[in-house]
Amino acid sequence: MAEATADYKVIGTRPLRPDGADKVTGRAIYGGDMRLTGMLHGKVLRSPHAHARIKSINVEKAAALPGVKAVISAHDFPEAADRIANLGEMAVNVKLLSNNVIASGKVLYKGHAVAAVAATSTHIAEEALKLIEVEYEVLPAVLHVLEAMKEGAPLLHESMTTTELGQKTDKPSNIATHFRFAMGDVAQGFRDADVVVERVFDTATVHQGYIEPHNATALWNEDGHLYIWTSTQGAFVVQRQTAEVLGLPVSQVSVTPCEIGGGFGGKIPVYLEPVAAILSRKSGRPVKLIMNRIEEFEATGPTPASHIRVKMGAKKDGRIVAAEAELMYEAGAFPGSPVTAGSMCIFSPYAVPNMQVDGYDVVVNKPKTAAYRAPGATNAAFASETVLDEVAEKLGIDPLDIRRINGAKEGDRRVDGPTFPRIGYLETVHAALEHEHYATPLIGPNRGRGVASGFWFNVGFQSTVVISVNADGTVALVEGSTDIGGTRASIAMQAAETLG
């Protein structure tokens, strides 16, 4: 494998982290640490039902409780436009984003926000929630992707129709999208194969499990400017999403990212920020909201559950000649699961002449899914790598050898179209094969050794770093991205190396 040989002065050293002292002494400001003069404490009323129509909401008793300064529901939010907007890592339907922040007309999962209260203490806010009267018409719920895909299944969105292979249909369904990637002749490939393995896999919903819960503090100033302090993986994403939900220009929304206690993809969407903002506007005071752990599990986005079928065919010499997959991913209550990414990744480590992948984005009565460390790819890799191991076992070929035989390299095409530049995959396989750990005998009971390959994309968005030289010769650096894992240290080191 290639190794870096450049002679660096700073890169490779271990300077003190810029955030190190504050974090180990407890002085670092996390979202839950925010304190503003006159600040109120907010709580959110959430649906006890997975699927129900909201017939009425009565907040009079809650509003009359001493200490309560504001009570809100979807009626206090502007009507969101039914349009697609580019709001960060992906394009989002603004109306659906707003409906996930607070339910309008229907609740679509247990934990869906219905109303919110701001009061002078957390305890008063909690008591006020008990006084809000909500009348529900409970509806049948669908909680598994296959159940949701059936003809006649209860519909989450009566107006949603399936986009089938790129064509919008007029068929109401819980299947938001069915797409296909294909190359070569898959049927002929399987006819040519000496060994064929086909298996079905089911994966469950998994939450990111970050230690720090979601939080947001908002101050809607008297001049109309909105200030937000929150723990997020992307301050500009919060700014754009909040501005769209509230119908504000982005110039009117300022977001300050606090230190973050873990995210792993789960702290990209907004949940509390627009709610805190509306409570602040109605009360005339800053408002802080913090989820408890139950709210985290019931109301924020996990990785999707999935149902995946994988079929592979290979020749006796180990060459894979055909691969086929169907990926059915739960999007949660609103469309937008990472099934597209999973479908692009599932066979990408390998050069296969004949492939077909079908993906289905399906809504179910669960929280809207969110990113979780290579979203969509982990489900897919679990399925495809397991089948490849079984192919290797049937052929009597070492698991790493079959990956060496079929490994993708420069010039090979992925099933979704792009052609690989130099990627170094085969070099890693060779390094693993030659490593002494792989050749070490397994001694004793219950010992095993497994290998697997995975694929994920490089993605780049706009970013900015500003460096200014002070009068005393020191250098100040400002980065636009949120530090979620050490960028303050790493970018400072790169700047120091560049400046000499």
Side-chain angles (χ1 to χ4, degrees):
M1 297 176 65
E3 296 183 359
T5 57
D7 185 16
Y8 294 118
K9 295 179 181 179
V10 181
I11 303 297
T13 64
R14 296 175 62 85
L16 291 175
R17 287 177 57 135
D19 54 332
D22 285 344
K23 286 183 175 176
V24 299
T25 58
R27 288 194 298 266
I29 302 299
Y30 290 82
D33 298 321
M34 283 302 302
R35 301 288 188 275
L36 297 175
T37 302
M39 186 177 75
L40 302 174
H41 300 270
K43 284 292 179 180
V44 177
L45 180 68
R46 301 186 180 278
S47 169
H49 308 293
H51 194 194
R53 203 174 307 280
I54 302 173
K55 300 185 71 174
S56 66
I57 301 178
N58 189 331
V59 302
E60 290 182 3
K61 293 179 182 178
L65 184 68
V68 171
K69 302 300 180 182
V71 184
I72 65 169
S73 66
H75 298 295
D76 296 281
F77 283 72
E79 183 69 27
D82 188 7
R83 63 181 180 83
I84 303 297
N86 185 7
L87 302 179
E89 286 202 342
M90 61 187 70
V92 177
N93 182 291
V94 178
K95 185 176 181 64
L96 299 184
L97 174 65
S98 179
N99 288 349
N100 192 42
V101 168
I102 195 158
S104 178
K106 286 173 70 176
V107 292
L108 297 172
Y109 53 92
K110 185 177 185 294
H112 200 167
V114 175
V117 171
T120 52
S121 76
T122 300
H123 303 296
I124 293 175
E126 289 174 343
E127 289 302 312
L129 292 185
K130 300 174 186 177
L131 300 176
I132 299 175
E133 299 170 350
V134 184
E135 183 182 358
Y136 295 102
E137 177 191 344
V138 179
L139 303 171
V142 284
L143 300 173
H144 189 275
V145 63
L146 295 182
E147 179 186 354
M149 294 176 70
K150 291 178 180 177
E151 289 283 345
L155 296 177
L156 276 72
H157 305 277
E158 289 81 0
S159 61
M160 192 178 83
T161 59
T162 302
T163 299
E164 178 76 21
L165 301 180
Q167 300 298 315
K168 190 71 175 176
T169 70
D170 58 1
K171 178 184 178 182
S173 171
N174 292 319
I175 304 171
T177 307
H178 168 216
F179 60 87
R180 176 177 294 161
F181 300 133
M183 59 181 286
D185 187 335
V186 174
Q188 184 59 49
F190 282 118
R191 286 192 291 269
D192 293 339
D194 296 315
V195 170
V196 176
V197 175
E198 182 175 6
R199 296 289 179 262
V200 173
F201 302 85
D202 288 282
T203 68
T205 300
V206 179
H207 195 272
Q208 297 87 350
Y210 33 78
I211 295 175
E212 176 202 38
H214 276 271
N215 58 80
T217 301
L219 170 59
W220 199 308
N221 215 8
E222 292 182 359
D223 63 2
H225 198 93
L226 174 60
Y227 297 90
I228 293 173
W229 295 263
T230 186
S231 296
T232 176
Q233 292 177 243
F236 294 103
V237 176
V238 172
Q239 181 193 41
R240 291 196 292 270
Q241 291 187 359
T242 302
E244 287 285 355
V245 170
L246 301 179
L248 297 174
V250 291
S251 60
Q252 206 170 315
V253 181
S254 297
V255 176
T256 301
C258 302
E259 299 292 348
I260 186 169
F264 318 112
K267 287 183 180 169
I268 297 173
V270 294
Y271 300 100
L272 298 178
E273 291 84 353
V275 176
I278 294 294
L279 285 171
S280 177
R281 183 178 66 177
K282 194 165 186 177
S283 66
R285 292 164 65 173
V287 177
K288 178 165 73 173
L289 288 162
I290 303 177
M291 288 190 184
N292 60 36
R293 191 58 59 185
I294 293 174
E295 289 179 296
E296 282 289 345
F297 289 142
E298 290 188 345
T300 68
T303 195
S306 61
H307 179 84
I308 303 174
R309 180 186 64 84
V310 173
K311 182 179 179 181
M312 284 188 183
K315 303 293 285 184
K316 291 179 180 178
D317 60 5
R319 288 180 297 114
I320 305 169
V321 291
E324 182 180 80
E326 287 183 321
L327 295 87
M328 302 148 188
Y329 278 29
E330 294 179 359
F334 302 94
S337 76
V339 66
T340 303
S343 299
M344 296 163 77
C345 293
I346 189 164
F347 297 133
S348 286
Y350 309 110
V352 182
N354 307 294
M355 291 185 282
Q356 181 171 303
V357 180
D358 284 84
Y360 298 84
D361 184 38
V362 184
V363 294
V364 295
N365 291 113
K366 293 181 182 180
K368 170 73 176 73
T369 59
Y372 185 7
R373 302 303 303 270
T378 50
N379 310 45
F382 166 61
S384 59
E385 293 299 296
T386 302
V387 170
L388 184 58
D389 276 351
E390 190 169 342
V391 171
E393 184 177 357
K394 286 183 176 294
L395 293 173
I397 298 175
D398 180 271
L400 274 178
D401 267 326
I402 201 166
R403 288 165 172 83
R404 175 186 58 78
I405 293 167
N406 295 285
K409 59 186 182 302
E410 184 176 5
D412 289 329
R413 185 194 146 183
R414 298 197 327 236
V415 67
D416 56 307
T419 299
F420 279 121
R422 185 183 178 194
I423 51 175
Y425 172 60
L426 287 175
E427 290 87 338
T428 65
V429 175
H430 282 296
L433 274 167
E434 295 169 2
H435 201 280
E436 61 179 339
H437 288 180
Y438 198 67
T440 302
L442 296 172
I443 300 173
N446 304 318
R447 301 292 180 91
R449 181 182 289 120
V451 299
S453 297
F455 173 79
W456 191 242
F457 317 89
N458 285 325
V459 175
F461 297 107
Q462 298 83 6
S463 58
T464 301
V465 171
V466 177
I467 293 177
S468 57
V469 180
N470 301 316
D472 62 357
T474 59
V475 173
L477 183 150
V478 177
E479 61 164 317
S481 59
T482 306
D483 188 344
I484 60 172
T487 57
R488 277 173 288 202
S490 61
I491 292 178
M493 293 171 71
Q494 294 171 53
E497 194 74 60
T498 302
L499 295 173

